[in-house]
Amino acid sequence: MAPTNSYAVRTDLELLDIWRGGDKQGLDELLLRYNVELQRFLGTRLVEPSACVDLIQGIMEALLQALPRHRGCSSVRTYIMRVARNKLNEYLRLRYRAQEREAQDEFDSGKVCFEHIYDRSLSSILGAKQRSEQLRRLLETLPIDDQSMLQLRYWEELSASEIGEVFEMSEDAVRSKLRRLREKLRVLIHADDEAVLSQLLQARDDSPV
């Protein structure tokens, strides 16, 4: 008899195939596997706790529609994170537009920062969720896409190739972007020692949202 936790040792693709074969537990285990990662990715960008719950629900619904079309061109993990990034940007776009901005002032996640959306600094939003006051001050200067890329690289530990799958960019373009972001942050914190910046970026908040 198979052990009751046999699903937990299956690979992502195996779980996906199990679900496609009609066993809902395959999908349940897959989503449970990435629930904490999704909460962490979303929770650092949202003010209202209920918004995180609603977004995760929306992501799950989107995955129900999207995962059957997954053909293995990217990992299941990066596919899930791509859907999460798109749903997050969709939510932030609605918040941005709700401020009755000029029609020509379009939402661009590569340019818009949190203070443009919430009319207050990221520091006041995140509170104790982030690991240091210094990092909070740094993040509020970065566009949303830059924050997402840094978080995926240093907190979720995705490779440049995997981040490329999430952002639909080449691996070389991701590496180049990350180098520019590191240099920008290093200048902002006046860190002559690269190790200081690395230590700051790699500090991860694993507390539940």
Side-chain angles (χ1 to χ4, degrees):
M1 179 180 294
T4 56
N5 64 345
S6 61
Y7 287 91
V9 298
R10 301 295 185 95
T11 67
D12 291 350
L13 287 175
E14 286 174 337
L15 290 173
L16 191 56
D17 286 339
I18 289 171
W19 175 48
R20 285 168 173 164
D23 188 344
K24 183 178 180 295
Q25 192 171 345
L27 179 63
D28 290 342
E29 177 63 36
L30 187 61
L31 298 180
L32 179 64
R33 183 171 293 179
Y34 291 106
N35 185 58
V36 172
E37 190 169 326
L38 285 172
Q39 287 193 54
R40 185 167 53 226
F41 179 73
L42 298 172
T44 55
R45 253 65 69 76
L46 300 173
V47 177
E48 311 90 342
S50 61
C52 187
V53 175
D54 292 344
L55 256 183
I56 288 180
Q57 181 61 38
I59 290 168
M60 300 309 181
E61 292 173 358
L63 288 172
L64 284 172
Q65 300 297 321
L67 278 175
R69 300 191 296 271
H70 183 268
R71 293 294 178 263
C73 296
S74 62
S75 72
V76 175
R77 183 191 186 195
T78 57
Y79 196 80
I80 290 173
M81 296 310 292
R82 185 193 307 168
V83 171
R85 172 181 173 252
N86 289 338
K87 295 297 286 186
L88 173 65
N89 285 350
E90 183 181 300
Y91 169 82
L92 294 176
R93 182 180 294 110
L94 291 175
R95 286 295 305 254
Y96 187 74
R97 289 176 176 172
Q99 297 183 15
E100 300 181 356
R101 297 177 180 276
E102 296 296 330
Q104 69 269 21
D105 195 9
E106 291 295 327
F107 175 86
D108 182 345
S109 60
K111 297 179 180 178
V112 172
C113 301
F114 277 92
E115 59 187 6
H116 300 148
I117 297 174
Y118 293 107
D119 290 328
R120 48 182 164 144
S121 71
L122 186 63
S123 301
S124 64
I125 293 171
L126 294 179
K129 283 184 180 295
Q130 287 292 18
R131 63 279 317 136
S132 72
E133 182 65 27
Q134 184 179 33
L135 185 54
R136 288 196 291 270
R137 291 196 302 269
L138 289 176
L139 288 179
E140 69 183 20
T141 69
L142 299 179
I144 292 162
D145 279 351
D146 292 352
Q147 296 174 36
S148 295
M149 186 173 289
L150 287 170
Q151 184 172 0
L152 290 174
R153 177 66 187 95
Y154 294 105
W155 304 343
E156 307 307 336
E157 300 180 347
L158 268 65
S159 67
S161 175
E162 290 172 323
I163 294 172
E165 292 172 6
V166 174
F167 280 79
E168 299 180 277
M169 297 169 58
S170 71
E171 181 177 350
D172 286 344
V174 170
R175 291 185 183 279
S176 177
K177 178 71 170 179
L178 286 170
R179 282 195 296 270
R180 292 197 300 271
L181 286 174
R182 286 182 66 94
E183 178 60 23
K184 180 178 181 179
L185 293 179
R186 189 185 65 78
V187 171
L188 287 172
I189 65 174
H190 308 290
D192 295 326
D193 186 353
E194 183 72 11
V196 174
L197 177 59
S198 295
Q199 183 178 18
L200 179 66
L201 285 172
Q202 291 171 353
R204 188 175 73 180
D205 180 7
D206 287 309
S207 59
V209 175

